[in-house]
Amino acid sequence: VPPNRRTTTGPRPRVLWVTAEPPDRNGGGGNIRQAMLIDSLQRRVDITLLLAGQLDDEQIRRSVDAVLELAPPRRRRARGRAERRLHDLSRVLVRRQPAEAVDAARVRRLLRPTLDRIADDFDLVVVQHLSLAPVLPRRRRARWLLEVHNVPSERARQELSGTRGRRRWLLTREAANARRYERRVVASYDSVITVSAEDAEILAGIDFERDGGRVIVVPNGVEISANAPSPLPSEPNIVLPATLNYRPNVLGAVWFCDEVLPLIRAKVPSAQFHLVGRNPVPEIYALTRRPGVEVHPNVAVMAPWLAWARVVVVPLQVGTGTRLKALEAMAAGRPVVGTTIGLEGLDVIDGVQARVLDTPSEMAAAIAELLSDDTKSSALADAGHRHVESNFRWEALADRYADALEAKVPRSG
């Protein structure tokens, strides 16, 4: 793809942004995060995007200095139970890497020749996701930064609870392998960027703020203008906005339907639960067999669905990082109810900016109240909106990101 060059004044950091997840405002959380950061960062740095995939967001194409798109290899899926089990055993006993790192091996092989040719022409190379971390060369002139969107060792550890048999055996080894992999990566990169302090502590230890700035926290944010508040609807619609093939979201949706929704409908019989998002897997569609559950796949824009919601839920039992959709819901003036894991990293206080509840009975009672009590719903929604408006604007977070990048640029002389 021919580069889209812009005129610049004065020396600015030259950044090579490496990803297999296309930056896109209309995508999932990782797509949106990259798109919003790149769009804001271009005020202070020159970015070349190296993408294993196709860029559909034309605003990003105009924002960056150049776009290099490589056709990604077709992902091969295991056929049948026997092949899947053999693949799992090979991953945890032979390759000893997190599942996403094993799955991304062919993408890394695709990226390496281009990186070998051009990486040293930049001041900084920013690699997105732990799965691409092994593209780091042994010898390099540029500074290399890794952005970590979630921590697989912690996710595997969380999922171990209540798991038995073969699945527990696999998760135990997955957690140990992922932890070794993460430690090696953190030690090898010049700096690591995480989306929450909790993730930083897992990756680098409790004293990460005193490690000389090698681990940097830049949370997810929200575009306030694109999520303007509107009056709360009276209809008892509960919405889960999410990428619906991401395992933590699937597990959370199943838990909510199993444990929480029946208790809500016992108090509010007309309550409806709507799963809204990309690429629902069969487990998600199966939930529609239950009373009051609907799936709305691959919606073009999430904002109208948030405006339609009376309550937005984030019922994650497994996961790290921060939930961008929760921030969008609060920006849109919707009461948000989630688990501790679901709302981790957002600095909310239970009962002030959101409800943070981990037992089915407490969550169901809180949601039923918000569906029925306009005063309490409005107060929670207003406080949530003020919270994200003050603390999670993309522009301010991008400035923090740019400060971190500029601090890493090698100084000559």
Side-chain angles (χ1 to χ4, degrees):
V1 177
N4 174 24
R5 295 290 178 187
R6 295 177 293 104
T7 302
T8 62
T9 57
R12 287 153 46 111
R14 296 163 300 163
V15 176
L16 179 61
W17 191 282
V18 183
T19 184
E21 183 179 43
D24 195 324
R25 284 169 177 74
N26 294 319
N31 308 92
I32 296 170
R33 175 182 172 87
Q34 292 184 76
M36 299 306 299
L37 285 172
I38 287 172
D39 197 40
S40 294
L41 285 170
Q42 57 87 24
R43 293 180 289 113
R44 293 175 56 181
V45 303
D46 291 330
I47 298 176
T48 291
L49 176 63
L50 174 57
L51 169 64
Q54 179 177 323
L55 181 65
D56 294 325
D57 190 327
E58 290 302 316
Q59 186 169 334
I60 296 302
R61 194 180 295 277
R62 292 190 296 271
S63 294
V64 299
D65 197 54
V67 180
L68 306 173
E69 294 165 288
L70 305 178
R74 183 173 297 177
R75 185 174 177 180
R76 184 183 181 278
R77 297 186 181 276
R79 298 175 182 176
R81 176 182 291 185
E83 189 173 348
R84 286 196 300 271
R85 289 190 170 186
L86 184 62
H87 175 77
D88 288 341
L89 288 172
S90 173
R91 186 183 77 241
V92 301
L93 296 178
V94 180
R95 300 188 186 185
R96 303 182 72 184
Q97 291 182 341
E100 51 258 60
V102 173
D103 292 342
R106 298 175 71 196
V107 174
R108 296 195 299 268
R109 286 197 294 271
L110 173 73
L111 290 168
R112 277 195 180 104
T114 302
L115 284 168
D116 289 343
R117 290 196 305 272
I118 69 173
D120 284 342
D121 295 334
F122 294 84
D123 300 308
L124 303 165
V125 180
V126 179
V127 177
Q128 295 292 318
H129 289 292
L130 275 163
S131 60
L132 296 187
V135 298
L136 180 73
R138 292 184 179 180
R139 296 182 180 179
R140 53 192 184 270
R141 287 201 296 267
R143 297 286 174 85
W144 284 62
L145 288 74
L146 177 70
E147 184 162 344
V148 177
H149 294 233
N150 58 74
V151 183
S153 65
E154 179 65 7
R155 206 169 62 227
R157 187 195 66 78
Q158 292 165 347
E159 196 175 341
L160 272 169
S161 176
T163 305
R164 298 179 180 178
R166 175 179 175 274
R167 180 67 182 166
R168 184 175 184 83
W169 182 88
L170 281 172
L171 284 171
T172 300
R173 281 147 186 83
E174 174 86 5
N177 290 340
R179 189 71 187 107
R180 283 190 293 270
Y181 177 89
E182 292 156 6
R183 286 173 176 163
R184 187 167 65 249
V185 164
V186 171
S188 60
Y189 271 77
D190 295 300
S191 287
V192 175
I193 299 168
T194 72
V195 300
S196 74
E198 291 84 354
D199 285 4
E201 290 171 6
I202 295 167
L203 288 171
I206 195 71
D207 293 329
F208 75 92
E209 290 181 337
R210 295 190 289 275
D211 72 349
R214 283 195 353 96
V215 179
I216 304 153
V217 179
V218 180
N220 279 323
V222 66
E223 190 176 13
I224 301 294
S225 61
N227 296 276
S230 58
L232 282 174
S234 58
E235 294 80 6
N237 291 316
I238 306 163
V239 172
L240 170 58
T243 299
L244 297 174
N245 62 351
Y246 180 51
R247 183 164 177 78
N249 291 336
V250 175
L251 293 173
V254 172
W255 176 82
F256 187 85
C257 288
D258 283 345
E259 305 292 341
V260 183
L261 186 60
L263 301 179
I264 297 171
R265 286 176 58 84
K267 298 180 179 183
V268 185
S270 58
Q272 301 287 309
F273 181 46
H274 301 269
L275 297 114
V276 184
R278 297 189 305 158
N279 305 325
V281 294
E283 289 171 273
I284 293 293
Y285 281 117
L287 297 174
T288 61
R289 303 191 191 108
R290 308 175 188 216
V293 180
E294 294 184 15
V295 173
H296 309 276
N298 302 316
V299 301
V301 180
M302 189 62 72
W305 294 91
L306 295 177
W308 183 69
R310 171 73 180 210
V311 173
V312 171
V313 294
V314 193
L316 269 66
Q317 305 298 298
V318 173
T320 64
T322 57
R323 257 47 64 186
L324 194 145
K325 298 302 182 188
L327 292 171
E328 290 180 349
M330 286 191 279
R334 291 299 173 263
V336 172
V337 180
T339 57
T340 301
I341 289 174
L343 298 181
E344 185 177 78
L346 303 185
D347 297 328
V348 296
I349 300 171
D350 177 38
V352 180
Q353 301 95 352
R355 295 306 316 272
V356 187
L357 304 157
D358 291 310
T359 68
S361 59
E362 289 177 329
M363 181 174 284
I367 293 173
E369 181 179 60
L370 293 170
L371 293 175
S372 308
D373 190 320
D374 291 342
T375 301
K376 290 187 177 180
S377 293
S378 296
L380 194 69
D382 291 345
H385 176 79
R386 291 193 300 271
H387 179 61
V388 299
E389 189 174 36
S390 299
N391 300 293
F392 291 95
R393 287 180 174 272
W394 277 122
E395 297 88 348
L397 297 172
D399 280 338
R400 186 190 304 183
Y401 203 113
D403 289 343
L405 295 183
E406 289 176 349
K408 300 300 176 184
V409 175
R411 303 298 178 187
S412 58

